[in-house]
Amino acid sequence: MDATSPVCTLAEERPETGGLMPLERALAHKGYAIARGAPLPPDFADFWNDLPLDTFMADGGRYRRRRYATFALEGGEIAPRPAEPHYQSLSYNPLNGGIARHFAPFAPEATTHPCLLGLLRDAEALFARSAPGARWHVEAHQFRILAGSENAGLPTPEGLHRDGVDRVLVQLVARHNVIGGVTRITDPTGRTLDRTTLTVPGDLYLLDDRRVMHEVSPVRPEDPARPGWRDVLVVTFRRRD
């Protein structure tokens, strides 16, 4: 990896924004936080151009491509974990849950990219006040949702849900020739708290998964004659202590 690759952070660079503090306050007060970010470096975004098909879609859909990686995170130290399956119970994922799903791993260069490592360290720092000294099990997912002229792509085919973890980070990597992809954040009863659309690469939201639920509307091609897709990085954090 090029040593000059920029480190990605959750905080804006301008000192008057207060760094991570606005995100921390929003997450503590509302259970979610939304940030408008800067474009991700091309050498990081390029990893989304080589994602294999997700073959575990119970709806038969062929609109989702993905890779998966896990890490141990503690005290700013990030250790990639050996390959392991992704598992969600049916109570959290009624469509694809209940089985161990073995996804293709991240490219080795992606797991050590300064952009990814910077995001993980910033997230740990953000969570430190509410979870001091926590040891985190981190699951990272690269998703590409394809929008075809015949069928919409479904970013959350399971519908309104929780992920069964402590925190969730969703960051936009790219939007190409798509409309839709509106995120709805709700309380546990399904009452809408916010709607947001990640439009600029780098835009992100953070969720306290114990307090809120979320879903994302389908994406369709803006120009039906051309392919469209929505690329995101999804990272979940679960306490191991």
Side-chain angles (χ1 to χ4, degrees), residues 78-221:
I78 303 167
R81 293 175 54 85
E84 58 188 72
H86 177 54
Y87 180 84
Q88 291 174 297
S89 69
L90 286 168
S91 61
Y92 289 116
N93 190 332
L95 177 66
N96 296 320
I99 61 171
R101 290 179 284 167
H102 294 263
F103 296 116
F106 276 36
E109 296 86 354
T111 63
T112 58
H113 194 285
C115 191
L116 178 63
L117 301 183
L119 289 171
L120 296 184
R121 291 192 177 101
D122 254 15
E124 183 185 33
L126 178 68
F127 307 151
R129 180 165 296 186
S130 60
R135 300 162 59 233
W136 298 100
H137 174 70
V138 178
E139 299 181 56
H141 308 256
Q142 294 174 275
F143 286 109
R144 170 166 287 185
I145 304 299
L146 303 172
S149 58
E150 300 296 327
N151 301 100
L154 308 179
T156 54
E158 66 271 43
L160 185 65
H161 68 285
R162 292 174 52 224
D163 286 335
V165 295
D166 292 288
R167 303 284 190 273
V168 179
L169 182 157
V170 179
Q171 183 165 40
L172 181 69
V173 176
R175 282 177 66 103
H176 177 77
N177 187 40
V178 293
I179 55 176
V182 180
T183 298
R184 184 170 76 102
I185 302 169
T186 80
D187 68 12
T189 70
R191 179 177 63 89
T192 299
L193 302 175
D194 209 332
R195 295 180 189 270
T196 187
T197 304
L198 304 180
T199 57
V200 177
D203 286 358
L204 61 92
Y205 56 84
L206 292 147
L207 307 174
D208 183 338
D209 193 57
R210 302 162 303 177
R211 295 169 56 192
V212 299
M213 303 175 71
H214 65 286
E215 64 180 351
V216 184
S217 69
V219 292
R220 295 177 172 81

